[in-house]
Amino acid sequence: MAGNWKMFKTDDQAVSFIKNFVPLVGDIADRDAALAVPATALQRVAEEAKGSGVIIGAQNLHWEKEGAFTGEISAPMIVGAGASMVLIGHSERRQYFGDTDEWVAKKLSAAIEAGLLAVVCVGETLSERESERTFEVLSKQLKGSLAGFAAKDEKKLILAYEPVWAIGTGKTATKEEAQETQAFIRKELKALALPAESIRILYGGSVKPDNAADLMAQPDIDGLLVGGASLQADSFAKIVNFGK
Ligand code: PEP
């Protein structure tokens, strides 16, 4: 169950969230909780979360280890800040910052090389869904984004299916739509000769405490990627603790 804070929270606000959140999910043993936080808060949040089991990650990275790339951060910098995960190819990165499947593949290989857990995001836009191109679009994104990914690194990869039309809109895909699409993604992973059954596939898009359990009951939804509802400790803890 992963949260994505996007461009919200100063480091003080982030630390105060973690102090409230950790006790609310302290006794989880059968699921993972993770948070992708702003780069400026990584170090303090990772320090505060140490020993809690809550995984802390960044929201993006550059594929080079270092260089003249103003404003970017690299995988070794994320590791150096004490974090262990990174989101790659979130639809906001693809839409506003030009991330392509080719970039996603390069970022993924940099993340894996540094030992980070990589959450690779894919998803179709509303017009692509309405023109019945969802599977074609996902197939292309998966093939391009996972180019060069080796099956032996399966434990370091998580896929996140996030229909762009469901992100931050309050419109969740129905559990049937999400299940059908995620089953397709698993089939595509198999076709790419990857161990599809053991790679976790998250659903993301307007997940809230009251729809988490229904989504999680679907066989091909292994977890949730949560934006808005991960910003308050109590609502994200309810999602993490679904079914308890
Ligand atoms: C996201 O940012 O990945 C996301 C799914 O956002 P929201 O939950 O707000 O739709």
Side-chain angles (χ1 to χ4, degrees):
M1 315 299 276
N4 168 24
W5 282 353
K6 315 190 190 212
M7 197 174 71
F8 290 96
K9 295 194 193 295
T10 63
D11 60 340
D12 280 348
Q13 291 167 336
V15 167
S16 134
F17 175 107
I18 292 293
K19 284 188 199 292
N20 292 328
F21 178 68
V22 165
L24 300 176
V25 296
D27 56 352
I28 50 162
D30 61 342
R31 58 197 79 184
D32 292 324
L35 278 164
V37 309
T40 46
L42 269 182
Q43 188 148 20
R44 283 185 66 198
V45 167
E47 186 62 37
E48 192 64 42
K50 220 182 241 171
S52 70
V54 177
I55 298 164
I56 302 302
Q59 300 172 8
N60 181 40
L61 82 168
H62 194 279
W63 57 84
E64 294 291 346
K65 291 188 176 73
E66 60 182 11
F69 300 103
T70 303
E72 294 290 303
I73 61 169
S74 69
M77 291 172 185
I78 294 169
V79 173
S84 56
M85 180 190 82
V86 64
L87 299 186
I88 303 179
H90 188 279
S91 68
E92 287 151 15
R93 298 293 320 171
R94 292 176 184 263
Q95 190 177 350
Y96 304 126
F97 302 101
D99 281 25
T100 60
D101 293 332
E102 193 192 337
W103 284 15
V104 171
K106 287 161 108 171
K107 291 178 181 201
L108 175 59
S109 94
I112 299 290
E113 193 188 330
L116 290 166
L117 177 62
V119 182
V120 171
C121 306
V122 293
E124 81 287 1
T125 62
L126 184 59
S127 69
E128 288 162 347
R129 177 158 281 266
E130 285 177 346
S131 57
E132 296 183 3
R133 293 179 52 226
T134 298
F135 290 170
E136 175 202 325
V137 166
L138 289 173
S139 178
K140 184 166 168 285
Q141 285 180 346
L142 288 166
K143 199 163 167 222
S145 301
L146 301 179
F149 178 78
K152 70 172 174 48
D153 294 318
E154 62 174 297
K155 292 220 159 28
K156 286 293 178 190
L157 174 68
I158 293 180
L159 258 293
Y161 167 56
E162 298 205 303
V164 179
W165 48 271
I167 297 181
T169 57
K171 254 195 226 170
T172 321
T174 63
K175 55 185 193 300
E176 292 82 8
E177 280 169 333
Q179 165 55 30
E180 183 194 28
T181 315
Q182 302 208 180
F184 172 79
I185 291 174
R186 213 177 290 284
K187 203 171 89 216
E188 288 295 286
L189 293 177
K190 248 179 236 154
L192 293 171
L194 293 173
E197 296 307 329
S198 52
I199 293 177
R200 286 175 286 181
I201 308 177
L202 316 184
Y203 166 79
S206 296
V207 172
K208 301 281 179 281
D210 59 5
N211 59 20
D214 257 8
L215 288 161
M216 285 302 294
Q218 303 307 306
D220 286 298
I221 300 183
D222 304 318
L224 301 169
L225 180 52
V226 185
S230 71
L231 289 168
Q232 276 81 44
D234 57 344
S235 77
F236 188 45
K238 276 189 194 139
I239 293 173
V240 172
N241 290 322
F242 83 94
K244 292 205 165 199

